[in-house]
């Protein structure tokens, strides 16, 4: 009998047999985790709106504040991950940590929050990818001033659907391909990130002063309708709160990682470390390179006022070289990172749907848990995620704040899913916990408490309206969508599911303690 991997041995103790192939090394797991927390994907689409609320200072310092609290969440997650290396892990953790009485309910809430968050996450990447593509097409065909082609809403929707379908197709064909693409992705992010962070301030003809970047606090009530200082500062933190999550991707893949009980926590913590440094550098590079702050939002400027980072890049390159080639190349680097980010989020989403249907927690679960006979990937689950994601994008045709709403649904679902196991770990008796190699000991209560409160704060901020006065086209419909969705899920639990849903289903028969 071949030597059993330490993670696989622990998986068997928890009552699961190894079904997915174990072929991810630490570097590959880190690559997938890093490309889910992508550098540009969080910051780029929300940078413009956050800068508009309260000027550069809260944006720049906000990243530091958010990073500080994110470390607490990451450390709490890493400890749990080292104790339970299973796939669909967040909800498995919730079931075990909450104990036999509350376990099924905790895992039910966590699984559904996470499923909603991940599927909306595919939508955020597809939307932002289409937005970048829209700016690339505009700058390639001329600019908004010289009659360039600015894609209308129907074409935008077609790009959104196209990206989703390409990702689903790639996810159907093989895990090795995706692991390989993710390694390209990590180099793409690192090298592309360095190029943008170093080149942009060098190319720009004039740079903003340090006092502007670090101390300028300026509201723009005429465009956002927000005149309260505190409210504007809270909203300008959204960009950092949205960018700094996704580090649980390492945890989703632990069943496929060698030595997962040690490598899982390392991957979670190192991806937070890398992203916090890189992200801050990217924000500083963009902010120092602004030429004229008031011109960025002007709808008659070269990028139609639609996409602020594109205008910053255009101003820098056009000012020095009198053409927009450099800006197009850098936008393409950014677009590439949306493409990779969407691909790895699709992988995560399908894994969670697969794990939930393996435990019979989704209607028609027998269809979604089938593995592709040849490639051993949950292909039906992949296409289900893609279909729901396309439905989420249909309001693009009518509503202006689709992106805000999808982002809010995504962040609340995703981060809310983190809250369930962390809260369960906070209140459980220490004697019931079997520590892995990474153990916090006495520090766990304060760390888990800070992490839990921070998550509650993040979720509540994402439900706030982002523009005033509120009309049909500026209405953040995330509270409605989430309220209806979570309401139905809780209702199903109360009426029916609590009778039969027991949480994670063991698929190993344990006889006489032998496996």
């Amino acid at each position: 009998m071949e030597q059993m991997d330490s993670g696989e041995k622990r998986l068997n103790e928890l009552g699961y047999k190894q079904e997915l192939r174990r072929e991810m090394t630490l570097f590959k797991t880190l690559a997938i985790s890093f490309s889910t927390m992508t550098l540009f994907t969080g910051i780029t689409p929300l940078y413009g709106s956050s800068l508009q609320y309260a000027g550069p200072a809260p944006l720049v310092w906000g990243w530091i504040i958010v990073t500080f609290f994110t470390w607490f969440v990451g450390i709490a997650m890493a400890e749990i991950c080292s104790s339970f290396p299973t796939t669909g892990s967040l909800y498995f953790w919730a079931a075990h940590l909450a104990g036999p009485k509350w376990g099924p309910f905790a895992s039910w809430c966590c699984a559904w929050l996470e499923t909603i968050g991940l599927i909306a996450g595919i939508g955020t990447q597809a939307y932002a990818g289409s937005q970048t593509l829209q700016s690339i097409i505009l700058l390639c065909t001329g600019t908004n001033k010289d009659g360039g082609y600015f894609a209308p809403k129907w074409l935008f929707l077609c790009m959104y659907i196209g990206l989703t379908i390409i990702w689903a197709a790639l996810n159907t064909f093989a895990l090795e391909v995706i692991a390989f693409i993710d390694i390209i992705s990590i180099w793409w992010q690192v090298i592309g990130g360095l190029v943008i962070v170093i080149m942009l301030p060098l190319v720009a003809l004039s740079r903003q002063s340090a006092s502007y970047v670090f101390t300028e606090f300026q509201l723009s009530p005429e465009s956002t309708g927000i005149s309260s200082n505190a409210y504007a500062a809270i909203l300008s933190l959204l960009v950092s709160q949205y960018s700094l999550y996704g580090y649980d991707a390492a945890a989703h893949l632990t069943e496929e990682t060698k030595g997962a009980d040690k490598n899982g926590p390392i991957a979670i913590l190192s991806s937070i470390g890398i992203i916090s440094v890189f992200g801050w550098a990217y924000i500083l590079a963009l902010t120092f390179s602004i030429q004229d702050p008031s011109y960025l939002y002007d709808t008659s400027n070269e990028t139609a006022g639609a996409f602020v980072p594109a205008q910053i890049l255009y101003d820098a390159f056009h000012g020095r070289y009198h053409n927009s080639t450099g800006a197009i190349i850098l936008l393409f680097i950014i677009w590439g990172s949306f493409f990779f980010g969407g691909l790895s989020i699709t992988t995560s989403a399908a894994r969670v749907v697969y794990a939930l249907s393996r435990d019979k927690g989704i209607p028609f679960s027998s269809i979604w848990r089938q593995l592709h006979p040849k490639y051993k990937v949950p292909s039906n689950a992949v296409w289900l995620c893609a279909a729901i994601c396309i439905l989420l994008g249909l309001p693009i045709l009518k509503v202006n704040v689709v992106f805000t709403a999808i982002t809010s649904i995504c962040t609340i679902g995703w981060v809310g899913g983190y809250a369930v196991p962390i809260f369960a770990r906070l209140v459980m008796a220490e004697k019931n916990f079997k520590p892995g190699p990474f153990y916090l000991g006495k520090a766990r209560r304060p760390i888990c408490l800070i992490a839990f409160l921070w998550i509650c704060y993040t979720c509540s901020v994402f439900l706030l309206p982002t523009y005033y006065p509120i009309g049909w086209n500026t209405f953040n419909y995330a509270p409605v969508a989430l309220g209806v969705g979570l309401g139905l899920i809780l209702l199903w639990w109360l009426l029916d599911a609590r009778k039969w849903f027991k949480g994670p289903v063991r698929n190993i028969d344990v006889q006489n303690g032998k496996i």
Side-chain angles (χ1 to χ4, degrees):
M1 184 169 163
E2 56 181 316
Q3 181 63 37
M4 204 188 246
D5 181 88
S6 63
E8 186 176 344
K9 178 165 166 289
R10 180 79 182 110
L11 194 65
N12 289 348
E13 286 169 21
L14 295 167
Y16 275 106
K17 67 174 183 284
Q18 182 75 33
E19 285 191 298
L20 300 161
R21 295 184 257 178
R22 245 181 214 277
E23 47 192 33
M24 298 271 189
T25 54
L26 173 64
F27 183 73
K28 283 187 185 171
T29 312
L30 182 60
I32 287 189
S33 197
F34 184 75
S35 62
T36 313
M37 289 187 77
T38 39
L39 217 118
F40 312 118
T41 42
I43 300 171
T44 317
L46 288 176
Y47 177 84
S49 56
S50 291
L51 184 70
Q52 197 174 16
Y53 291 128
L59 183 65
V60 169
W61 293 112
W63 181 266
I64 304 285
I65 298 167
V66 175
T67 306
F68 175 74
F69 286 106
T70 304
W71 274 104
F72 285 97
V73 182
I75 291 169
M77 301 264 293
E79 182 197 35
I80 304 174
C81 176
S82 128
S83 168
F84 303 115
T86 52
T87 201
S89 25
L90 285 174
Y91 101 107
F92 184 88
W93 302 345
H96 271 258
L97 296 172
K101 186 177 169 210
W102 287 100
F105 181 61
S107 65
W108 178 262
C109 294
C110 184
W112 276 102
L113 275 168
E114 204 188 352
T115 308
I116 292 170
L118 280 162
I119 292 175
I122 308 173
T124 59
Q125 303 294 320
Y127 186 97
S130 312
Q131 199 179 20
T132 318
L133 205 54
Q134 187 182 35
S135 296
I136 294 176
I137 295 171
L138 181 65
L139 291 178
C140 284
T141 53
T143 62
N144 191 36
K145 290 188 167 169
D146 322 336
Y149 183 68
F150 187 67
K153 284 183 172 174
W154 62 267
L155 188 63
F156 193 91
L157 184 63
C158 294
M159 294 193 234
Y160 174 92
I161 294 174
L163 280 170
T164 314
I165 291 174
I166 293 172
W167 291 330
L170 281 171
N171 265 297
T172 318
F173 294 118
L175 219 125
E176 289 104 70
V177 179
I178 288 184
F180 177 68
I181 291 180
D182 275 317
I183 287 176
I184 299 175
S185 159
I186 204 172
W187 292 113
W188 181 283
Q189 308 280 351
V190 171
I191 296 169
L194 284 171
V195 166
I196 291 183
V197 167
I198 295 166
M199 271 185 72
L200 187 56
L202 288 178
V203 168
L205 284 178
S206 60
R207 278 182 281 293
Q208 296 290 346
S209 63
S211 67
Y212 171 79
V213 175
F214 294 109
T215 58
E216 177 83 20
F217 187 95
Q218 143 207 19
L219 301 176
S220 48
E222 64 286 343
S223 49
T224 55
I226 291 166
S227 49
S228 135
N229 283 350
Y231 191 49
I234 286 173
L235 286 178
S236 70
L237 288 186
L238 289 182
V239 59
S240 314
Q241 285 167 321
Y242 167 60
S243 310
L244 283 166
Y245 64 83
Y247 35 86
D248 63 318
H252 290 298
L253 293 166
T254 42
E255 203 176 310
E256 303 171 41
T257 308
K258 303 183 172 96
D261 45 354
K262 293 188 191 60
N263 287 345
I266 297 174
I268 290 177
L269 295 176
S270 42
S271 49
I272 300 181
I274 301 170
I275 207 83
S276 41
V277 175
F278 251 109
W280 205 50
Y282 181 51
I283 287 183
L284 288 179
L286 277 177
T287 317
F288 270 113
S289 311
I290 294 174
Q291 302 294 308
D292 172 10
S294 58
Y295 183 58
L296 291 177
Y297 300 98
D298 184 353
T299 45
S300 65
N301 70 16
E302 285 83 2
T303 54
F307 194 47
V308 171
Q311 184 64 34
I312 295 177
L313 292 170
Y314 176 82
D315 284 345
F317 279 92
H318 193 264
R320 184 168 292 251
Y321 300 116
H322 303 298
N323 67 17
S324 49
T325 319
I328 293 171
I329 294 170
L330 293 193
L331 277 175
F332 181 70
I333 294 179
I334 293 175
W335 181 81
S337 84
F338 286 119
F339 186 81
F340 295 136
L343 188 64
S344 58
I345 291 181
T346 312
T347 312
S348 281
R351 290 285 176 284
V352 173
V353 172
Y354 165 70
L356 186 56
S357 58
R358 186 164 71 171
D359 298 340
K360 305 184 178 46
I362 290 184
F364 311 113
S365 61
S366 58
I367 304 174
W368 314 124
R369 69 162 180 267
Q370 286 168 9
L371 290 175
H372 190 290
K374 182 176 170 205
Y375 298 117
K376 292 274 185 290
V377 280
S379 47
N380 292 3
V382 172
W383 289 100
L384 175 70
C385 295
I388 299 174
C389 167
I390 289 171
L391 288 178
L392 271 178
L394 291 179
I396 288 175
L397 294 171
K398 288 277 174 265
V399 189
N400 293 349
V401 287
V402 175
F403 187 69
T404 317
I406 299 183
T407 324
S408 306
I409 295 170
C410 168
T411 311
I412 292 170
W414 202 326
V415 185
Y418 293 2
V420 183
I422 289 177
F423 182 70
R425 174 85 182 95
L426 180 68
V427 294
M428 74 184 285
E430 189 58 28
K431 63 179 189 297
N432 301 339
F433 183 73
K434 181 181 173 188
F438 182 89
Y439 180 56
L440 292 174
K442 288 203 167 45
R444 78 186 173 92
R445 283 245 150 91
I447 287 181
C448 289
L449 181 66
I450 294 173
F452 180 69
L453 293 174
W454 174 248
I455 290 174
C456 294
Y457 165 73
T458 304
C459 290
S460 52
V461 172
F462 269 99
L463 290 174
L464 297 172
T466 49
Y467 280 96
Y468 287 90
I470 296 174
W472 278 112
N473 57 348
T474 57
F475 173 60
N476 178 0
Y477 60 90
V480 183
L482 272 168
V484 172
L486 295 176
L488 286 173
I489 289 162
L490 285 174
L491 195 66
W492 185 24
W493 171 259
L494 287 171
L495 296 179
D496 180 38
R498 68 198 168 105
K499 298 174 191 136
W500 50 260
F501 184 77
K502 295 288 180 278
V505 179
R506 291 168 164 250
N507 59 5
I508 284 186
D509 304 321
V510 180
Q511 300 150 341
N512 327 330
K514 285 196 182 110
I515 290 170

